[in-house]
Coordinates of all heavy atoms in Angstrom, one line a residue:
I1 N 0.8 -1.3 0.0 CA 0.0 0.0 0.0 C 0.8 1.2 0.0 O 1.7 1.4 0.9 CB -1.0 0.0 1.2 CG1 -1.9 -1.2 1.2 CG2 -1.7 1.4 1.2 CD1 -1.5 -2.4 2.0
L2 N 0.8 2.1 -1.1 CA 1.6 3.3 -1.1 C 0.7 4.5 -0.8 O -0.4 4.7 -1.6 CB 2.1 3.4 -2.5 CG 2.7 4.8 -2.9 CD1 3.9 5.1 -2.1 CD2 3.0 4.9 -4.4
T3 N 0.9 5.1 0.3 CA 0.1 6.4 0.5 C 1.0 7.5 0.1 O 2.2 7.6 0.4 CB -0.3 6.4 2.0 OG1 0.8 7.0 2.8 CG2 -0.8 5.1 2.5
H4 N 0.4 8.6 -0.4 CA 1.1 9.9 -0.9 C 0.3 11.0 -0.5 O -0.8 11.2 -1.1 CB 1.4 9.7 -2.3 CG 2.3 10.8 -2.9 ND1 2.2 11.3 -4.2 CD2 3.3 11.5 -2.2 CE1 3.2 12.2 -4.3 NE2 3.8 12.4 -3.1
T5 N 0.7 11.8 0.4 CA 0.0 13.0 0.8 C 0.7 14.3 0.3 O 1.9 14.4 0.6 CB -0.2 13.0 2.3 OG1 -0.9 11.9 2.8 CG2 -1.0 14.3 2.7
C6 N 0.0 15.2 -0.3 CA 0.5 16.4 -0.8 C -0.4 17.6 -0.4 O -1.6 17.3 0.0 CB 0.8 16.4 -2.3 SG 2.0 15.3 -2.8
R7 N 0.0 18.7 -0.6 CA -0.9 19.9 -0.3 C -2.0 20.0 -1.5 O -3.2 20.3 -1.2 CB -0.1 21.2 -0.3 CG 0.8 21.2 1.0 CD 1.7 22.4 0.8 NE 2.6 22.2 -0.2 CZ 3.6 23.1 -0.7 NH1 3.7 24.2 0.1 NH2 4.2 23.0 -1.7
E8 N -1.6 19.9 -2.7 CA -2.5 20.1 -3.9 C -2.5 19.0 -4.8 O -1.6 18.2 -4.9 CB -2.0 21.4 -4.6 CG -2.0 22.7 -3.7 CD -1.2 23.7 -4.5 OE1 -0.6 23.6 -5.6 OE2 -1.1 24.9 -3.8
V9 N -3.6 18.9 -5.5 CA -3.9 17.8 -6.4 C -2.8 17.5 -7.4 O -2.3 16.5 -7.7 CB -5.2 17.8 -7.1 CG1 -5.5 16.7 -8.0 CG2 -6.4 17.8 -6.0
A10 N -2.3 18.7 -8.0 CA -1.3 18.6 -9.1 C 0.0 18.0 -8.5 O 0.8 17.4 -9.3 CB -0.9 20.0 -9.5
E11 N 0.2 18.0 -7.3 CA 1.5 17.5 -6.8 C 1.4 15.9 -6.7 O 2.4 15.3 -6.4 CB 1.8 18.1 -5.4 CG 2.0 19.5 -5.4 CD 2.1 20.3 -4.0 OE1 1.6 19.6 -3.1 OE2 2.6 21.4 -4.0
L12 N 0.3 15.4 -6.9 CA 0.1 13.9 -6.8 C 0.4 13.2 -8.2 O 0.5 12.0 -8.2 CB -1.4 13.6 -6.5 CG -1.9 14.0 -5.0 CD1 -3.3 13.7 -5.0 CD2 -1.2 13.2 -3.9
K13 N 0.6 14.0 -9.2 CA 0.7 13.4 -10.6 C 1.9 12.4 -10.6 O 1.8 11.4 -11.4 CB 0.9 14.5 -11.6 CG 0.8 13.9 -13.0 CD 0.8 15.0 -14.1 CE 0.5 14.5 -15.5 NZ 1.4 13.4 -15.9
Y14 N 3.0 12.6 -10.1 CA 4.2 11.8 -10.1 C 3.7 10.3 -9.7 O 4.1 9.3 -10.3 CB 5.3 12.3 -9.3 CG 6.5 11.3 -9.3 CD1 7.3 11.2 -10.5 CD2 7.0 10.8 -8.2 CE1 8.3 10.2 -10.6 CE2 8.2 10.0 -8.2 CZ 8.8 9.6 -9.4 OH 10.0 8.9 -9.4
G15 N 2.9 10.3 -8.7 CA 2.5 9.0 -8.1 C 1.6 8.3 -9.2 O 1.7 7.0 -9.4
F16 N 0.7 9.1 -9.7 CA -0.2 8.4 -10.7 C 0.6 8.1 -12.0 O 0.3 7.0 -12.6 CB -1.3 9.6 -11.1 CG -2.4 9.6 -10.1 CD1 -2.5 10.8 -9.4 CD2 -3.3 8.6 -10.0 CE1 -3.4 10.9 -8.4 CE2 -4.3 8.7 -9.1 CZ -4.3 9.8 -8.3
D17 N 1.5 8.8 -12.3 CA 2.4 8.4 -13.5 C 3.1 7.1 -13.2 O 3.3 6.2 -14.1 CB 3.5 9.5 -13.8 CG 3.0 10.6 -14.5 OD1 1.7 10.6 -14.9 OD2 3.6 11.7 -14.7
L18 N 3.6 6.9 -12.0 CA 4.3 5.6 -11.6 C 3.3 4.4 -11.7 O 3.7 3.4 -12.4 CB 4.8 5.7 -10.1 CG 6.0 6.7 -9.8 CD1 6.1 6.8 -8.4 CD2 7.2 6.1 -10.5
M19 N 2.1 4.6 -11.1 CA 1.1 3.6 -11.3 C 0.9 3.1 -12.7 O 0.8 2.0 -13.1 CB -0.2 4.0 -10.6 CG 0.0 4.2 -9.2 SD 0.6 2.9 -8.2 CE -0.8 1.8 -8.1
E20 N 0.7 4.2 -13.7 CA 0.5 4.0 -15.0 C 1.7 3.2 -15.7 O 1.6 2.2 -16.5 CB 0.3 5.2 -15.8 CG -0.2 5.1 -17.2 CD -1.4 4.5 -17.4 OE1 -2.2 4.4 -16.5 OE2 -1.6 3.9 -18.6
E21 N 2.9 3.6 -15.3 CA 4.2 3.0 -15.9 C 4.2 1.5 -15.5 O 4.6 0.6 -16.2 CB 5.3 3.7 -15.4 CG 5.6 5.1 -16.0 CD 6.6 5.8 -15.4 OE1 7.6 5.2 -14.8 OE2 6.7 7.1 -15.6
I22 N 3.9 1.2 -14.2 CA 3.8 -0.2 -13.8 C 2.8 -0.9 -14.6 O 3.1 -2.1 -15.0 CB 3.6 -0.2 -12.3 CG1 4.7 0.3 -11.5 CG2 3.3 -1.7 -11.8 CD1 4.6 0.5 -10.1
R23 N 1.6 -0.4 -14.7 CA 0.5 -1.1 -15.4 C 0.9 -1.6 -16.8 O 0.5 -2.5 -17.4 CB -0.8 -0.4 -15.4 CG -1.5 -0.4 -14.2 CD -3.0 0.1 -14.2 NE -2.9 1.5 -14.5 CZ -3.0 2.4 -13.5 NH1 -3.2 2.0 -12.3 NH2 -3.0 3.7 -13.8
E24 N 1.7 -0.6 -17.5 CA 2.0 -0.8 -18.9 C 3.3 -1.5 -19.1 O 3.7 -1.8 -20.2 CB 2.1 0.6 -19.6 CG 0.8 1.3 -19.6 CD 0.8 2.7 -20.3 OE1 2.0 3.0 -20.6 OE2 -0.2 3.3 -20.6
H25 N 4.0 -1.8 -18.0 CA 5.4 -2.3 -18.2 C 5.1 -3.9 -18.6 O 4.4 -4.6 -18.0 CB 6.1 -2.3 -16.8 CG 7.6 -2.6 -17.1 ND1 8.1 -3.8 -17.0 CD2 8.7 -1.8 -17.2 CE1 9.4 -3.8 -17.1 NE2 9.8 -2.5 -17.3
E26 N 6.1 -4.4 -19.5 CA 6.0 -5.6 -20.0 C 6.0 -6.7 -19.1 O 5.3 -7.8 -19.2 CB 7.1 -5.8 -21.1 CG 8.5 -5.7 -20.6 CD 9.4 -5.9 -21.7 OE1 9.2 -6.5 -22.7 OE2 10.5 -5.4 -21.6
F27 N 6.8 -6.7 -18.0 CA 6.7 -7.8 -17.0 C 6.3 -7.3 -15.7 O 5.6 -8.1 -14.9 CB 8.2 -8.5 -16.9 CG 9.2 -7.6 -16.2 CD1 9.3 -7.6 -14.8 CD2 10.1 -6.9 -16.9 CE1 10.3 -6.8 -14.1 CE2 11.1 -6.3 -16.2 CZ 11.2 -6.1 -14.9
L28 N 6.4 -6.1 -15.2 CA 6.0 -5.6 -14.0 C 4.5 -5.6 -13.8 O 3.9 -6.0 -12.7 CB 6.5 -4.2 -13.7 CG 7.9 -4.0 -13.1 CD1 8.2 -2.5 -12.8 CD2 8.0 -4.8 -11.7
G29 N 3.8 -5.2 -14.9 CA 2.3 -5.2 -14.8 C 1.7 -6.5 -14.5 O 0.7 -6.5 -13.7
E30 N 2.2 -7.6 -15.0 CA 1.6 -8.9 -14.7 C 2.0 -9.3 -13.4 O 1.2 -9.8 -12.6 CB 2.1 -9.8 -15.7 CG 1.4 -11.3 -15.6 CD 1.9 -12.2 -16.7 OE1 2.3 -11.8 -17.7 OE2 1.7 -13.4 -16.5
M31 N 3.3 -9.0 -12.9 CA 3.7 -9.5 -11.7 C 3.1 -8.8 -10.5 O 2.6 -9.4 -9.5 CB 5.2 -9.2 -11.6 CG 5.9 -9.4 -10.1 SD 7.6 -9.3 -10.1 CE 8.2 -10.8 -10.9
V32 N 2.8 -7.5 -10.7 CA 2.2 -6.6 -9.6 C 0.8 -7.0 -9.5 O 0.2 -7.1 -8.4 CB 2.5 -5.1 -10.0 CG1 1.7 -4.3 -8.8 CG2 4.0 -4.8 -9.8
G33 N 0.1 -6.9 -10.7 CA -1.3 -7.3 -10.6 C -2.1 -6.3 -9.7 O -1.9 -5.1 -9.8
D34 N -2.9 -6.9 -8.9 CA -3.7 -6.2 -7.8 C -3.0 -6.2 -6.5 O -3.7 -5.8 -5.5 CB -5.2 -6.6 -7.8 CG -5.1 -8.1 -7.4 OD1 -4.1 -8.7 -7.1 OD2 -6.3 -8.6 -7.2
K35 N -1.7 -6.5 -6.4 CA -1.1 -6.4 -5.1 C -0.7 -5.1 -4.6 O -0.7 -4.9 -3.4 CB 0.2 -7.2 -5.3 CG 0.2 -8.7 -5.4 CD 1.6 -9.4 -5.3 CE 1.5 -10.9 -5.3 NZ 2.8 -11.4 -5.1
L36 N -0.7 -4.0 -5.5 CA -0.3 -2.7 -5.2 C -1.6 -1.8 -5.2 O -2.3 -1.8 -6.1 CB 0.7 -2.2 -6.2 CG 1.1 -0.7 -6.1 CD1 1.7 -0.4 -4.8 CD2 2.1 -0.3 -7.3
K37 N -1.7 -1.2 -4.0 CA -2.8 -0.2 -3.8 C -2.2 1.2 -3.7 O -1.2 1.3 -2.9 CB -3.6 -0.5 -2.6 CG -4.5 -1.9 -2.8 CD -5.2 -2.1 -1.5 CE -6.2 -3.3 -1.8 NZ -5.4 -4.7 -1.9
H38 N -2.7 2.2 -4.4 CA -2.3 3.5 -4.3 C -3.3 4.4 -3.6 O -4.5 4.4 -3.9 CB -2.1 4.0 -5.7 CG -1.6 5.4 -5.9 ND1 -2.0 6.2 -6.9 CD2 -0.8 6.2 -5.1 CE1 -1.4 7.4 -6.8 NE2 -0.8 7.4 -5.7
Y39 N -2.8 5.1 -2.5 CA -3.9 5.9 -1.7 C -3.4 7.4 -1.6 O -2.6 7.6 -0.8 CB -3.9 5.3 -0.3 CG -4.9 5.9 0.6 CD1 -6.4 5.5 0.4 CD2 -4.8 6.9 1.5 CE1 -7.4 6.0 1.2 CE2 -5.8 7.4 2.2 CZ -7.1 7.0 2.1 OH -8.1 7.5 3.0
P40 N -3.7 8.3 -2.7 CA -3.3 9.6 -2.6 C -4.2 10.4 -1.8 O -5.5 10.3 -1.8 CB -3.4 10.0 -4.1 CG -4.5 9.0 -4.6 CD -4.6 7.8 -3.8
T41 N -3.8 11.4 -1.0 CA -4.6 12.4 -0.3 C -4.0 13.7 -0.5 O -2.7 13.9 -0.7 CB -4.6 12.0 1.2 OG1 -3.5 12.4 1.8 CG2 -4.9 10.5 1.4
V42 N -4.9 14.8 -0.3 CA -4.3 16.2 -0.3 C -4.9 16.8 0.9 O -5.9 16.4 1.5 CB -4.8 16.9 -1.6 CG1 -4.2 16.3 -2.8 CG2 -6.4 16.9 -1.7
T43 N -4.3 18.0 1.2 CA -4.7 18.6 2.4 C -5.1 20.1 2.3 O -5.7 20.6 3.2 CB -3.4 18.8 3.5 OG1 -2.3 19.5 2.7 CG2 -2.9 17.5 3.9
R44 N -5.1 20.6 1.0 CA -5.4 22.0 0.9 C -6.6 22.2 -0.3 O -6.8 23.2 -0.5 CB -4.2 22.8 0.6 CG -3.2 22.9 1.8 CD -2.2 24.0 1.5 NE -1.2 24.0 2.5 CZ -0.1 24.9 2.6 NH1 0.0 25.6 1.5 NH2 0.7 24.9 3.6
E45 N -7.0 21.1 -0.9 CA -7.9 21.2 -1.9 C -8.9 20.1 -1.7 O -8.8 19.2 -1.0 CB -7.3 21.2 -3.4 CG -6.3 22.3 -3.7 CD -5.8 22.1 -5.1 OE1 -5.7 20.9 -5.6 OE2 -5.5 23.1 -5.7

């Protein structure tokens, strides 16, 4: 479980990009499957 807390929504994008890269990766996507959960939160928006 990856939690990522930032002040603003735009600051979360790196985390979302990582998740997309893993899903699209030729061997990581299948290996990770649904084992990885991403929990992004913001404090000011």
Side-chain angles (χ1 to χ4, degrees):
I1 298 97
L2 170 65
T3 81
H4 187 209
T5 302
C6 296
R7 293 168 300 178
E8 301 169 358
V9 175
E11 297 172 340
L12 296 172
K13 189 175 187 304
Y14 179 62
F16 284 106
D17 284 355
L18 290 172
M19 300 299 288
E20 184 65 21
E21 288 173 20
I22 290 171
R23 280 193 294 268
E24 293 182 354
H25 196 274
E26 57 183 340
F27 71 81
L28 274 181
E30 185 174 344
M31 172 176 286
V32 173
D34 59 0
K35 287 185 174 183
L36 176 61
K37 293 181 172 66
H38 179 210
Y39 190 82
T41 77
V42 297
T43 58
R44 295 188 182 178
E45 291 184 334

